[in-house]
Amino acid sequence: MQELFSSYIDKLPLLLNELVEMLPVQPANLPNHIPKRGIYLFSEDGNHFYIGRSNNIKRRIQNHCRPSANHNQATFAFRIARGKTEYKKATYKTKGSRKEIEADPIFNPEFLAAKERLRNMELRFVEVDDPLLQALFEIYASVILKTPFNDFENH
């Protein structure tokens, strides 16, 4: 394996250990000092559900959980709500679009409930400044932790 790529790969298990060993916090009660850039993990009752990356972790977590957040901001909650309604599969047409689904009277309460649920989940994070390492670690951690709400499908 090429030396540069190998140097990234070697860091992944260490970052994963740091992430999962972190004492979790709740998104509703974020501490004052959290890393600016890096990876975050949503869990519930010890089950890992979703891992993401951001250049502003605090703002990203707030977007995931804010009641007024839309489908582009609260993507994890949107996926949870999809699983609880008839809107299982994404479409990129006007009919059945994310914006249309978000306004649906059956879907919208599930979406709001999912954002509330996220506010009470366990949250862990780890600082990762390098964007390439962020991308590799997000995929690695998702595979190792088997996070069911991550989707690396192309659009």
Side-chain angles (χ1 to χ4, degrees):
M1 187 178 328
Q2 200 174 61
E3 190 175 321
L4 177 59
F5 190 72
S6 183
S7 71
Y8 282 104
I9 299 303
D10 291 344
K11 294 174 185 171
L12 300 179
L14 300 172
L15 284 170
L16 184 63
N17 188 57
E18 183 179 345
L19 181 67
V20 298
E21 293 298 320
M22 178 194 161
L23 187 63
V25 298
Q26 284 189 317
N29 299 307
L30 288 175
N32 290 331
H33 301 288
I34 65 174
K36 176 85 170 162
R37 300 167 49 109
I39 300 292
Y40 58 90
L41 173 66
F42 280 99
S43 307
E44 192 173 53
D45 300 323
N47 297 307
H48 305 301
F49 288 114
Y50 183 80
I51 190 156
R53 62 189 177 114
S54 178
N55 288 330
N56 189 328
I57 294 174
K58 186 172 189 172
R59 183 180 67 222
R60 186 69 191 106
I61 297 306
Q62 290 168 338
N63 282 341
H64 273 297
C65 302
R66 189 178 337 103
S68 63
N70 68 29
H71 61 90
N72 286 326
Q73 297 168 317
T75 52
F76 177 30
F78 197 83
R79 289 179 184 172
I80 290 172
R82 269 192 193 280
K84 294 190 174 281
T85 64
E86 64 187 68
Y87 300 106
K88 305 282 186 212
K89 188 142 173 73
T91 179
Y92 299 97
K93 299 175 183 171
T94 304
K95 180 74 176 147
S97 69
R98 292 170 64 99
K99 187 174 182 178
E100 182 180 271
I101 292 168
E102 185 178 356
D104 181 89
I106 294 171
F107 184 85
N108 192 266
E110 291 292 345
F111 187 36
L112 285 170
K115 290 183 273 189
E116 174 66 28
R117 179 178 169 194
L118 265 60
R119 282 193 291 280
N120 296 301
M121 282 191 175
E122 301 159 2
L123 176 69
R124 293 173 176 84
F125 39 80
V126 63
E127 185 171 21
V128 181
D129 286 326
D130 184 292
L132 182 55
L133 185 56
Q134 276 186 15
L136 290 169
F137 182 57
E138 179 185 26
I139 294 167
Y140 173 80
S142 177
V143 169
I144 298 300
L145 299 175
K146 299 178 177 139
T147 52
F149 288 95
N150 281 93
D151 176 7
F152 296 100
E153 185 68 41
N154 288 325
H155 304 288

